[in-house]
Amino acid sequence: MIWWLHDSEFFYDGVDEKKLRGINQKKLQIVSVGPVPRQAMRKYLPNVEISDLLYRVEMYDEY
């Protein structure tokens, strides 16, 4: 599962922190469009690995 972060910190104001902190990360790859969303998520998941995916997700058609 890929979670592509786009939102700045104000987006999370109404989100239940316990639910964010309790997300199962076993098969989750978190990526961010840049430093602003990455820092916003670090407030809730300070030790999680967050990679950069700055522009788009490549799509491939296999024939």
Side-chain angles (χ1 to χ4, degrees):
M1 171 77 61
I2 296 173
W3 184 3
W4 196 12
L5 304 175
H6 292 82
D7 300 300
S8 57
E9 192 171 336
F10 76 88
F11 173 81
Y12 298 99
D13 287 344
V15 176
D16 185 347
E17 287 187 36
K18 286 183 182 179
K19 288 189 179 188
L20 277 177
R21 294 178 196 279
I23 291 173
N24 184 340
Q25 300 171 32
K26 266 190 178 172
K27 294 184 179 183
L28 180 65
Q29 180 180 1
I30 303 175
V31 294
S32 177
V33 298
V36 172
R38 183 175 40 257
Q39 288 305 109
M41 185 53 62
R42 290 249 183 263
K43 178 179 176 184
Y44 302 99
L45 302 172
N47 298 318
V48 72
E49 182 180 332
I50 301 174
S51 304
D52 287 330
L53 185 58
L54 303 179
Y55 302 108
R56 67 185 183 275
V57 175
E58 291 289 339
M59 302 296 282
Y60 297 96
D61 289 327
E62 293 189 26
Y63 296 96

